[in-house]
Amino acid sequence: MESLIAALSGDFLGTPLYFWVAFITIVIGLLVFDLGILHRDEHEIEAKESLLLYGFYVLIALAFGAWVWFQRGAQAGLEFYTGYLIEQSLAMDNMFVIATIFGFLGIPRLYQHRVLFWGILGVIAFRAILIGIGAALVYQFSWILLFFGAFLIFTGIRMFRHQDEEPNMEDNKIFQFLNKRFRITKQLHGRSFTVKAPHPTTGKMVTWLTPLAVALIMVEIVDLIFAVDSVPAVFAVTQDTFIVYTSNIFAILGLRALYFALAAAMNRFRYLQTSLAIILVMIGFKICLVPFGYHVPTAISLGLTIGILAAGVFYSLWKTRNEPNISAEEDPRQGQLEP
């Protein structure tokens, strides 16, 4: 028992091992609860259920942040909450792209949770790799924070300039690559990601990807692309690998639960990108100051992020108050695969 306690008290990436064990246990428990209990029987998730589940995930994240605050001090707690909010803010844009992917591929709401759930497993793995690389670079080359900051400023300005452009899935490089390199069925085959079907030339039974698998692959790649923006943004708040990683994962878990409520009224948030662009530029300038010894207090960063995000949400809802809710499936701008 003493050896076990000593092992758990040891450090991993600058944080006691028992913090990592507690975090992994919580995440596994949430995933089992989600798939094994809440969604054991597949059903269409409505906005009300989505909001309730999101509220549950937020409470878990707040409780975890409070534990970090109590165990590691107020600064660590503030950094967790700020990183959590920044990741949630920036990843909202990702949710709208995911809705566009589902609409283009004709994925019904019944199977969208299946794609998002298995996508979370990829997020957990890919974010660990990306954050690990980022932490190693920051540790070895502190000047790389200047590069992170400049990249975030550039991305924010680019997002602001292109906020009115609609993504064209037919011209999407990821979709074109998959369509060229893999055999893809034109129709869904229930909840299956792959099916066995005759080859059109040889007649032999071969494996085909279904649109559900294409959606999963595209969601994973899109999340990885968006992570290139959001992960450096959290490094502007803290270089603590544990805080960066845990705040990222809790934010993504909650936002995936909120997806169905956002997707049901995606047209109501069309002005949100402006606030996200401002947040990116603000964080970019903040991270550029770190190598020169200037540190913007975490509490100020948290307050500004909350204010900018809230302004974007409320302005969007106010400007579109007379418009009906339009989901990804109903948006006439979205195409679908040929039948």
Side-chain angles (χ1 to χ4, degrees):
M1 181 60 71
E2 292 181 358
S3 60
L4 177 61
I5 294 174
L8 291 176
S9 300
D11 280 1
F12 177 69
L13 298 177
T15 299
L17 188 59
Y18 69 88
F19 275 90
W20 290 101
V21 172
F23 167 70
I24 294 171
T25 302
I26 292 170
V27 171
I28 292 175
L30 288 173
L31 294 177
V32 171
F33 176 71
D34 189 318
L35 187 64
I37 298 177
L38 290 181
H39 301 102
R40 180 172 50 189
D41 300 321
E42 277 184 329
H43 62 278
E44 292 189 14
I45 299 176
E46 301 298 334
K48 181 179 179 181
E49 180 183 349
S50 176
L51 290 170
L52 289 173
L53 188 57
Y54 173 70
F56 169 74
Y57 277 113
V58 169
L59 288 176
I60 296 295
L62 291 176
F64 186 84
W67 180 59
V68 170
W69 189 308
F70 178 76
Q71 292 287 329
R72 301 184 59 184
Q75 182 62 29
L78 273 176
E79 289 173 352
F80 174 85
Y81 288 132
T82 306
Y84 173 80
L85 185 63
I86 288 174
E87 176 61 33
Q88 281 229 341
S89 303
L90 300 181
M92 275 192 179
D93 200 36
N94 191 10
M95 295 298 101
F96 299 120
V97 175
I98 290 175
T100 303
I101 291 172
F102 285 157
F104 171 71
L105 295 173
I107 307 299
R109 291 173 66 90
L110 179 64
Y111 301 127
Q112 289 177 8
H113 176 268
R114 177 170 169 78
V115 174
L116 293 176
F117 176 85
W118 291 109
I120 283 291
L121 301 182
V123 168
I124 292 172
F126 291 137
R127 292 292 173 110
I129 295 171
L130 197 60
I131 290 172
I133 293 173
L137 288 174
V138 171
Y139 180 78
Q140 293 290 332
F141 312 103
S142 60
W143 54 264
I144 204 157
L145 290 174
L146 287 172
F147 173 78
F148 285 172
F151 177 74
L152 291 176
I153 294 170
F154 168 78
T155 303
I157 294 173
R158 186 175 183 275
M159 179 183 289
F160 182 80
R161 294 178 61 185
H162 298 278
Q163 59 182 320
D164 295 327
E165 295 181 5
E166 296 293 336
N168 188 341
M169 286 294 110
E170 291 184 356
D171 296 332
N172 183 273
K173 300 298 183 184
I174 303 170
F175 175 73
Q176 290 179 345
F177 174 83
L178 294 174
N179 206 30
K180 184 178 180 180
R181 302 289 182 178
F182 297 93
R183 294 180 292 268
I184 302 172
T185 64
K186 297 298 184 182
Q187 296 180 338
L188 287 167
H189 290 261
R191 63 198 302 271
S192 300
F193 288 113
T194 60
V195 293
K196 288 285 188 179
H199 191 280
T201 304
T202 65
K204 293 182 179 180
M205 297 298 289
V206 293
T207 301
W208 293 67
L209 297 181
T210 69
L212 209 64
V214 175
L216 177 61
I217 295 170
M218 291 185 71
V219 166
E220 291 284 11
I221 296 175
V222 164
D223 179 82
L224 192 59
I225 293 171
F226 273 86
V228 174
D229 293 340
S230 62
V231 169
V234 181
F235 273 112
V237 176
T238 178
Q239 286 80 60
D240 187 320
T241 308
F242 178 78
I243 298 295
V244 174
Y245 184 61
T246 55
S247 62
N248 255 255
I249 298 304
F250 274 118
I252 295 298
L253 283 171
L255 210 52
R256 292 293 168 96
L258 184 63
Y259 164 79
F260 295 94
L262 291 175
M266 58 184 303
N267 64 303
R268 299 292 306 279
F269 297 95
R270 69 174 61 138
Y271 300 101
L272 187 60
Q273 274 199 336
T274 301
S275 62
L276 301 184
I278 294 172
I279 289 173
L280 275 174
V281 173
M282 178 193 74
I283 295 171
F285 279 113
K286 179 182 184 300
I287 201 172
C288 285
L289 295 175
V290 173
F292 300 103
Y294 296 99
H295 295 271
V296 178
T298 305
I300 293 178
S301 298
L302 179 60
L304 287 174
T305 303
I306 292 174
I308 295 169
L309 180 62
V313 170
F314 287 122
Y315 181 74
S316 291
L317 294 175
W318 179 75
K319 285 287 289 185
T320 60
R321 62 191 182 279
N322 296 322
E323 297 181 14
N325 293 342
I326 300 177
S327 67
E329 293 85 352
E330 299 168 336
D331 193 337
R333 293 169 298 185
Q334 302 305 322
Q336 291 188 351
L337 288 176
E338 298 176 0

